Amino acid sequence: MSLTTARPLFAAVDIGGTKIAGALVDGEGRLRHRLRLPTPAKAPGGEVLAVVHRVLDHLAATADWAAVAAVGIGSAGPVDLVAGAVSPVNIPGWRGFPLVAEASAHPAVAARALPVQLAGDGVAMAAAEHWQGAARGAANALCLVVSTGVGAGLVLDGAVRPGPSGNAGHLGHITVDLDGDPCPCGSRGCLEGIASGTAIARRALAAGWIPTGEDRTARAVATAAEAGDPIALATFDRAAQALAAGIAATAALVDLDRVVVGGGVATAGATLFTPLTHHLRTYAALPYLAGLHVRRAELGTDAGLIGAAALCR
C-alpha cells in the first residue's frame, strides 16, 4: 500500500488581509510543516500570488508532499466557486483573480494534477470548527471570523453550506447601520465596517483614544478596555452591538442553535463576549431564539488551515 493511500494528507493554504499561511494537514486535523508569511495586501495581484507560491514551495519541498491528495484554499472573500476566483475586499490587487487556476499551475501541484478546492475564509472556519472545534455536533450553526475583516460560514442540517457562489453566510457585508459609512464593497453600514479589528482601531482613534505605546491595533484597544479606558470600552461595545444585530438576524432567518466566534478580535475575551451576550438579549428577542448559544472558537489561528483541509476530505 502506498503512503498516499495509507496516510493521505491535504495541503492547506489560508489567505487573509494580514497573513498567508500554509501547512500539511492529516486526517485528524493535525498540522505539520506550517509556514506563515505577511500578506502584501496593497501590492499588485502578482506579488500576492508570489507569496502563495512561496507557501506552496515550502510545502512541496517536504518529504510528506508525496502523500498529499488535494490542495485546499480558504481565502478572504467574496469568492466565486464557479469561476474559481476571489475578490477579497482587503486585497485590492485581486479582483476576479483566478486563484484556483493559478494554484493549479504551481509546478508541484501541476506535476501531480492535484485537485484544488477553494472556499471563503468564513466557510473554511465553519468547516474546521464543525469538524474539530466548538461547532462539533451542532446541526445548525453560524461560525464567524472577526479579524481584519468579518467572515462567516453556515452549518445547516449538519453540513457546511457554502451556497452556489461560495458566499453563503458572508455576514461581514450585511448592513447593520442603514445610514452608516460607505464600505469598500460598494454598500454602506456593513457589519465589517463596525466590528472588524481594523474598524475597532479606526473608530477608537477617531473618538480620541490615545495609545500608550506604538501599537494602534484592535489588540491595543482591547488592552485599554480591560484597563477601563472609556473610549476603548465604548468602541468594543459598539462592535459587539453590531455583531449581535447581525447574528440575531441570521438566526431569525435560518433558525440556528449555536454561534461560534473566532478570529483575532475574539481573543479580547470578555471585553467582546460580555457586551455581545448583553446585546443579543435585545436583538434575539423571538422565543425560538432564546436558546441561541454563543461559544468562543476552539481552533484559533489554525481554523483556516484545518478548514481548508476539511473541505478536501
Side-chain angles (χ1 to χ4, degrees):
M1 183 177 290
S2 71
L3 179 62
T4 302
T5 302
R7 295 187 291 108
L9 298 172
F10 305 100
V13 181
D14 179 20
I15 300 171
T18 303
K19 57 87 180 66
I20 296 174
L24 298 186
V25 186
D26 68 17
E28 302 300 322
R30 294 183 292 257
L31 277 61
R32 60 184 79 171
H33 308 302
R34 67 174 71 200
L35 177 67
R36 176 184 172 120
L37 299 172
T39 303
K42 304 303 181 185
E47 293 184 29
V48 183
L49 177 65
V51 178
V52 175
H53 277 203
R54 283 176 60 194
V55 169
L56 289 171
D57 289 343
H58 170 78
L59 300 178
T62 68
D64 286 327
W65 182 256
V68 170
V71 178
I73 302 176
S75 173
V79 301
D80 181 344
L81 295 188
V82 176
V86 299
S87 301
V89 173
N90 49 9
I91 305 178
W94 278 5
R95 290 293 176 266
F97 189 80
L99 183 56
V100 170
E102 294 288 357
S104 298
H106 182 277
V109 178
R112 297 187 47 217
L114 293 172
V116 176
Q117 178 76 37
L118 173 66
D121 55 357
V123 171
M125 184 264 200
E129 293 290 340
H130 191 236
W131 179 30
Q132 295 285 345
R136 280 190 308 270
N140 301 286
L142 172 67
C143 299
L144 293 98
V145 183
V146 188
S147 187
T148 307
V150 177
L154 286 167
V155 176
L156 300 175
D157 298 325
V160 178
R161 306 291 184 182
S165 72
N167 296 292
H170 197 43
L171 205 67
H173 293 283
I174 66 168
T175 296
V176 293
D177 184 353
L178 297 182
D179 300 311
D181 295 334
C183 178
C185 78
S187 184
R188 65 186 310 133
C190 288
L191 174 60
E192 182 169 293
I194 301 173
S196 70
T198 307
I200 288 170
R202 182 176 62 246
R203 181 177 288 268
L205 288 165
W209 170 64
I210 301 174
T212 57
E214 295 184 1
D215 188 355
R216 293 170 171 256
T217 66
R219 188 185 306 258
V221 181
T223 300
E226 291 169 7
D229 184 291
I231 294 175
L233 284 166
T235 304
F236 261 90
D237 184 77
R238 176 64 169 160
Q241 182 183 20
L243 282 170
I247 289 168
T250 305
L253 186 66
V254 295
D255 201 0
L256 301 171
D257 51 52
R258 193 176 303 175
V259 176
V260 175
V261 183
V265 174
T267 62
T271 299
L272 176 69
F273 284 92
T274 297
L276 174 59
T277 302
H278 168 74
H279 288 299
L280 270 173
R281 295 191 190 104
T282 298
Y283 293 105
L286 291 167
Y288 71 92
L289 302 180
L292 192 60
H293 185 51
V294 179
R295 296 185 181 182
R296 184 169 167 177
E298 295 179 1
L299 301 177
T301 56
D302 291 339
L305 293 169
I306 295 171
L311 292 164
C312 294
R313 291 171 64 239

